[in-house]
Amino acid sequence: MGELFKISSIDWKPSPVIALATSVDGLRVAAARQDGSLELWLVSPGSIGWHCQLTIQGDPHKRVSSLIWCHDSLNDDNSSGRLFSSNFDGSVSKWDLFHLKQMTVLESDGVSIWKMALTLPIPKSDEQNSETKGLIVGNGFVGKVNHSYEHDENSESDEDSDSPDTLKQTVIEYPRVAIGYDDGCVRIYAISNTDEFMYVKSLPRVKGRVLSVTWSTDASHVYSGSSDGLIRCWDVISGHEVYRITAGLGGLGSGHDLCILSLLSLRSGTLVSADSTGSVQFWDSQHGTLLQAHSLHKGDVNALAAAPSHDRVFSAGSDGQVILYKLSSQLVSSGGINSPILMKRWIYVQNVRAHTHDVRALTVAVPITQEDPLPDERVKRARRDEKPIEFSYHKWAHLGVPMLVSAGDDTKLFAYPVKEFTKFSPHDICPAPQRTPIQLVLNTAISQSSMILVQSSHGLDIHLLQLRNVHTAGGHAKTELLARVKSKASQKIICSTISNSGMLFAYSDHLKPSLFELRRSEGGKVTWSVSKRKLPLRLPFAHSMIFTHDSSWLILAGHDRRIYVVDVGSSELVHTFTPCRDLQDEKLPPTEPPITKLFSSSDRQWLAAVNCFGDIYVFNLEILRQHWFISRLDGASVTAGGFPPQNSNVMIVTTSSNHVYAFDIEAKELGEWSKRHTYVLPRRYQEFPGEVIGLSFPPSLTSSSVVVYSSRAMCLIDFGLPVEQDDNDMVNIQDPRVKNLQNLSVKKKIRYKNFNVLPFENPVLFLAYMSKNSFFMIDKPWLEVVKSLEAPPIHRHIFGA
């Protein structure tokens, strides 16, 4: 009978999400975390599931306060744009999504930045009408309207750069950004095509901190919200204050008790404010008068977002609620002989609580660009006793559907249908945020035992896996900590690896890679020590690293977009690869994106390198030459891959669009299995819950199977069996693999068939074969993760408690 061994004691502390922003094309969502990292989330073409395409490990000392996307300097309509962040240290950073790095574009002057807001440049076709036309800006959805205000062209200015002519020229040429500072100032900059922040104007300093800022929809005015409870409207050309609003008059608080935490400008001319008393207020932006006030949050209201149509507004705050308000039209009697008057009001619709902690950010995206028809679309589905996992999400997530995304201190991201917010439950985009990197090695030099390497933010733990006293399948295995290594000066670790012998391991931080050897000390009691090994000088820090199967070479994917092969024994550099599309360009400077994943074959002949966009470069390690370039598969990213031990000439790859590919490396083509099955996989796999995060081959020379898994479920695929579609649920329960899977910790017992999907009870961080008939799994109940977070949860009953 098959066995499952588990560990649930691994330390896993994901970082809170503090800011969100949607790309210019509306397809991608950037999420900034408190630890300085930035993630880019999207839905791959032909799929509906969210996928984390890339992660950039930024400076943890530059804590992000807000994110904005700006049009690309080439004005490419198909571009996602340029991504910038304001930071609490007073600087502004650009996030280079191609080179995977954070760059400072505006140096700090020592004053914290709370908020940035962007308006977009006037299209070239409208430059001649620039005095009478502007742009609508809101959640990445852009359009043009007429100005509703007249500017005083003769207004005076304190600085030459503030003159109307200078400012008007800047408006035409470049996007502008308004930045709210801790000292009470709002400063306006123009962003050049070379990402330079060019100073344009400072608005008069006010009392308190500027906590929120937004542009009017025609880009002629800036609204700022401060810690003194006031909302101010500023004329951009003159720099004069047009009016101010005392927000506390329509809410629950006033004066020093009230902070304006978020502002949102709508195309209808309505200004929405959110404050620290739990109030969301709707204002007439032309006159500064109150339209409606809702005090439904039980704490700070941290974020606002609008639907693309601007007839729905969402708010979120420290009480964990996401609340929907809708613009409603109603005929009201005028009280006389005249016809009834059509009145428009913002009404409360519903609240949803998916988060256990404060909600920090909201954004709206339209991420699904293509839906492929599934192979069994017209097949009559068998009746089920239970709804399949992810049932509600698959009901509403379709092409062109706007989604609201929320995130906060519980480290999670949730997606909601904007138009059907009240009908469906929120969708958990990342059930295992910032998953702990883990690697398992079998039959090591330490008495043929198994070892695991666990990477944390600032260190590595090497554990010896103890299975001797685990007598029941599904039992919890024990580990013995052999070594713990901390990064120098608490540098954040980017990647790590351990050799198959178990005696060598390595990591890279933002400074350089480091190599270590595990040594067994002589004496009566067995103790272990760690010694540092030499590496070649001037190796760059790496995004990924791997040992060859025989532990003789360490291969590093450098941040300079080259791949370095190091001989561990001699500490010498064996070779440097430059990944390229055309094999004739090997000796040219690198032009491809950085490599983020590496796989090698057990015979040490093949190395596969993958960038975050899904391109694959295959190298022959015997002759040290690039063998093949595989362009990204259907526009999707590679989520996992590897070479099966029984055939090193085959490479298996899974993608973010839930496809499985088998490549014949020697022949440089898709394998026969893929030619027949890759594009006609069963619906149950196309709807696989969560993105695939890993795969594992059984350590057997006769097996033809692989297990792929996400944090929510696993799927066993046998390349030697037919691919069954979903119209036949009858299987042979005497199949020995059924018994192999009966002991898995899944939600219910499911009889085996090829491409069978088995959901997990808890989020899974790691899963791998230990033998042909046994698995090793590391999971963690989410409630335990919630209890370990630094921020306290909302004081309410959660998880049915």
Side-chain angles (χ1 to χ4, degrees), residues 216-293:
S216 64
T217 55
D218 62 0
S220 64
H221 290 73
V222 166
Y223 306 102
S224 65
S226 307
S227 58
D228 60 359
L230 296 178
I231 302 169
R232 293 173 173 88
C233 174
W234 305 93
D235 184 286
V236 173
I237 297 294
S238 68
H240 295 159
E241 181 180 313
V242 180
Y243 62 77
R244 66 179 63 179
I245 299 171
T246 304
L249 295 179
L252 295 177
S254 62
H256 297 292
D257 298 329
L258 190 148
C259 295
I260 309 300
L261 301 177
S262 186
L263 291 170
L264 179 66
S265 182
L266 303 178
R267 285 195 292 271
S268 62
T270 299
L271 177 67
V272 190
S273 67
D275 61 49
S276 56
T277 67
S279 296
V280 174
Q281 295 168 273
F282 296 82
W283 309 89
D284 180 335
S285 64
Q286 187 168 1
H287 303 100
T289 54
L290 181 66
L291 301 176
Q292 274 93 44

Side-chain angles (χ1 to χ4, degrees), residues 6-7 9-10 439-454 461-468 470 477-484 498 500-503 518 520 526-528 770 776:
K6 294 203 307 178
I7 290 179
S9 59
I10 295 297
Q439 187 178 342
L440 169 72
V441 286
L442 308 173
N443 304 319
T444 65
I446 305 177
S447 304
Q448 298 295 298
S449 57
S450 300
M451 298 168 63
I452 56 174
L453 177 146
V454 180
D461 288 346
I462 311 295
H463 297 267
L464 187 67
L465 200 55
Q466 298 176 333
L467 304 176
R468 293 179 181 177
V470 182
K478 294 183 178 180
T479 61
E480 176 188 350
L481 181 64
L482 299 183
R484 174 170 289 170
I498 186 170
N500 282 329
S501 67
M503 308 308 292
L518 189 63
R520 182 171 178 169
V526 177
T527 58
W528 298 90
M770 293 201 68
F776 171 70

Side-chain angles (χ1 to χ4, degrees), residues 127 130 163-174 190 237:
E127 286 182 5
S130 61
S163 66
D165 291 339
T166 303
L167 182 60
K168 194 181 299 178
Q169 186 64 26
T170 306
V171 169
I172 293 173
E173 291 181 354
Y174 300 122
I237 297 294

Side-chain angles (χ1 to χ4, degrees), residues 647-799:
N647 189 348
S648 295
N649 191 48
V650 172
M651 180 176 66
I652 306 299
V653 164
T654 62
T655 69
S656 55
S657 58
N658 280 6
H659 284 106
V660 180
Y661 295 86
F663 291 99
D664 185 327
I665 299 299
E666 188 71 45
K668 298 184 182 180
E669 65 180 13
L670 274 177
E672 289 300 319
W673 184 91
S674 274
K675 291 177 182 178
R676 293 195 305 268
H677 301 301
T678 287
Y679 297 103
V680 288
L681 297 180
R683 177 190 285 269
R684 58 184 176 274
Y685 184 75
Q686 291 277 25
E687 297 181 353
F688 191 68
E691 66 171 318
V692 173
I693 57 177
L695 57 78
S696 177
F697 302 100
S700 168
L701 298 179
T702 60
S703 176
S704 59
S705 63
V706 62
V707 61
V708 302
Y709 66 96
S710 70
S711 57
R712 288 174 152 169
M714 64 173 285
C715 179
L716 186 64
I717 303 170
D718 194 323
F719 297 103
L721 290 181
V723 177
E724 302 174 18
Q725 298 302 326
D726 297 85
D727 54 335
N728 182 12
D729 283 329
M730 299 302 294
V731 295
N732 179 10
I733 61 173
Q734 298 304 317
D735 190 311
R737 284 162 302 186
V738 177
K739 298 178 181 179
N740 185 31
L741 296 175
Q742 291 303 308
N743 298 305
L744 283 176
S745 179
V746 297
K747 290 185 177 179
K748 64 176 182 177
K749 298 295 186 290
I750 305 177
R751 294 178 296 175
Y752 177 78
K753 64 181 176 181
N754 204 9
F755 278 92
N756 212 16
V757 176
L758 292 86
F760 297 126
E761 289 182 353
N762 299 313
V764 167
L765 304 178
F766 181 79
L767 176 70
Y769 275 103
M770 293 201 68
S771 68
K772 188 175 181 180
N773 295 313
S774 64
F775 292 93
F776 171 70
M777 184 171 76
I778 298 178
D779 66 357
K780 189 89 169 180
W782 181 246
L783 188 56
E784 291 184 17
V785 180
V786 168
K787 290 178 179 178
S788 70
L789 297 177
E790 293 181 6
I794 299 161
H795 295 293
R796 60 182 176 84
H797 293 294
I798 55 175
F799 298 107

Side-chain angles (χ1 to χ4, degrees), residues 581-600:
R581 293 171 179 263
D582 189 336
L583 302 189
Q584 306 302 318
D585 297 338
E586 270 189 294
K587 296 184 179 180
L588 296 178
T591 58
E592 295 295 288
I595 299 300
T596 55
K597 289 182 174 66
L598 293 169
F599 319 118
S600 66

Side-chain angles (χ1 to χ4, degrees), residues 397-634:
H398 299 295
L399 176 67
V401 171
M403 297 188 191
L404 174 73
V405 179
S406 66
D409 285 352
D410 64 359
T411 75
K412 293 266 196 172
L413 284 84
F414 286 95
Y416 318 71
V418 165
K419 294 182 179 179
E420 298 180 294
F421 182 78
T422 62
K423 294 183 180 180
F424 298 101
S425 300
H427 169 62
D428 189 350
I429 290 177
C430 54
Q434 292 189 305
R435 181 175 50 90
T436 302
I438 297 169
Q439 187 178 342
L440 169 72
V441 286
L442 308 173
N443 304 319
T444 65
I446 305 177
S447 304
Q448 298 295 298
S449 57
S450 300
M451 298 168 63
I452 56 174
L453 177 146
V454 180
Q455 173 187 319
S456 61
S457 295
H458 306 288
L460 300 178
D461 288 346
I462 311 295
H463 297 267
L464 187 67
L465 200 55
Q466 298 176 333
L467 304 176
R468 293 179 181 177
N469 297 323
V470 182
H471 301 295
T472 59
H476 284 261
K478 294 183 178 180
T479 61
E480 176 188 350
L481 181 64
L482 299 183
R484 174 170 289 170
V485 174
K486 294 291 185 181
S487 60
K488 192 173 182 179
S490 296
Q491 285 286 325
K492 190 166 184 179
I493 294 177
I494 302 172
C495 60
S496 60
T497 186
I498 186 170
S499 66
N500 282 329
S501 67
M503 308 308 292
L504 298 167
F505 60 97
Y507 76 80
S508 178
D509 55 27
H510 270 120
L511 297 178
K512 63 178 182 178
S514 299
L515 174 65
F516 301 90
E517 183 176 5
L518 189 63
R519 296 180 181 272
R520 182 171 178 169
S521 62
E522 301 294 334
K525 186 178 179 180
V526 177
T527 58
W528 298 90
S529 62
V530 174
S531 60
K532 194 168 185 179
R533 297 282 298 270
K534 284 184 60 178
L535 284 173
L537 296 176
R538 293 184 293 277
L539 277 180
F541 74 80
H543 289 296
S544 182
M545 54 175 52
I546 191 174
F547 284 98
T548 53
H549 195 266
D550 60 2
S551 306
S552 62
W553 286 358
L554 174 64
I555 302 174
L556 307 97
H559 79 93
D560 60 354
R561 298 178 286 166
R562 293 182 171 93
I563 298 173
Y564 298 86
V565 181
V566 177
D567 186 294
V568 174
S570 65
S571 301
E572 294 182 354
L573 183 64
V574 176
H575 191 73
T576 301
F577 292 110
T578 302
C580 55
R581 293 171 179 263
D582 189 336
L583 302 189
Q584 306 302 318
D585 297 338
E586 270 189 294
K587 296 184 179 180
L588 296 178
T591 58
E592 295 295 288
I595 299 300
T596 55
K597 289 182 174 66
L598 293 169
F599 319 118
S600 66
S601 61
S602 58
D603 63 356
R604 216 185 82 164
Q605 179 179 5
W606 304 114
L607 169 71
V610 185
N611 65 37
C612 62
F613 303 105
D615 301 312
I616 305 173
Y617 315 84
V618 181
F619 302 91
N620 189 324
L621 295 178
E622 291 182 349
I623 61 174
L624 298 176
R625 293 285 303 275
Q626 183 169 335
H627 174 74
W628 192 17
F629 168 74
I630 306 171
S631 183
R632 59 198 66 171
L633 305 162
D634 295 323

Side-chain angles (χ1 to χ4, degrees), residues 129-140:
N129 299 321
S130 61
E131 293 185 67
T132 58
K133 291 195 174 184
L135 291 180
I136 296 170
V137 182
N139 294 301

